[in-house]
Amino acid sequence: MFSLKGDAHKVFLRLKRTLRNGDTIKEMQEYKEIEEIQTLYRSLDSSTLQLIHYRMIKEYNGSGIIPILVSSAPWLLLLFSKQLSTFLFKNGNWLWAGFCIVYLLGLAISVIIHFREKAWAAFHMEIIQDILKER
C-alpha cells in the first residue's frame, strides 16, 4: 500500500493488517529481526555493550563521505561551470539531460543511503541503551 505518511505509518499499517489476519506480531519478519538483535546484545557483557554503543554513536554522528559529497559536488560543478556548459550544450546535444539525470539520481541515492544508515545506528543505540538500563 502506497502512503506518503512515512515509515512509521507503514509499520502501523502492517501491524494492523497482521492483527486483522489473526496472526501474531512476533511472527512478522521485522520483529523476528529485532528479537535476534536483542538476543545478540543481551548475550554480551555490559562493558562490551558499552563499547559497541560508543561505536554506534560515532556512526550516528559521523559526517562520512556522503554528506561531504552532497555539499561539495555542487561547488566543484560551479568551479568548472563554463567548461561544463560548453561541453554539455555543444551543438544542441542532449548530453546535459543525461548528465542532470545521472547527477540527481546519484545525489538522491546517496542521501537516502546516508539517512537509512543513520536510522539503523539510532535503532541499535536504543536497543543497547535499553539493555544497559535493564542491567
Side-chain angles (χ1 to χ4, degrees):
M1 172 180 267
F2 180 74
S3 173
L4 294 175
K5 294 183 181 178
D7 288 341
H9 190 69
K10 289 176 189 173
V11 169
F12 166 74
L13 293 175
R14 272 191 302 244
L15 288 170
K16 187 175 157 183
R17 186 175 52 244
T18 299
L19 293 173
R20 192 175 341 125
N21 292 340
D23 298 329
T24 63
I25 293 173
K26 291 197 177 233
E27 293 174 5
M28 294 177 65
Q29 181 60 34
E30 295 96 340
Y31 299 100
K32 287 180 182 178
E33 182 181 34
I34 294 169
E35 285 181 341
E36 288 176 13
I37 293 168
Q38 284 178 325
T39 302
L40 173 69
Y41 286 153
R42 282 191 177 116
S43 70
L44 301 173
D45 62 282
S46 293
S47 62
T48 304
L49 205 53
Q50 189 65 46
L51 292 173
I52 294 170
H53 184 257
Y54 293 145
R55 179 63 186 192
M56 292 296 171
I57 291 172
K58 184 232 176 252
E59 293 297 320
Y60 181 81
N61 291 324
S63 60
I65 190 73
I66 293 172
I68 293 171
L69 174 69
V70 168
S71 62
S72 65
W75 288 106
L76 182 65
L77 293 176
L78 185 62
L79 181 66
F80 296 106
S81 63
K82 182 175 172 131
Q83 296 91 334
L84 193 60
S85 65
T86 302
F87 175 73
L88 292 176
F89 297 111
K90 180 172 54 174
N91 301 328
N93 251 342
W94 282 87
L95 277 176
W96 66 270
F99 174 80
C100 289
I101 290 170
V102 168
Y103 178 74
L104 291 175
L105 190 64
L107 188 67
I109 290 171
S110 64
V111 168
I112 289 169
I113 289 171
H114 171 71
F115 284 107
R116 285 184 62 86
E117 288 176 358
K118 194 169 183 173
W120 273 106
F123 172 77
H124 282 266
M125 287 168 47
E126 282 296 318
I127 291 174
I128 291 170
Q129 285 177 347
D130 288 345
I131 292 171
L132 289 172
K133 283 179 188 174
E134 286 175 8
R135 293 180 181 175

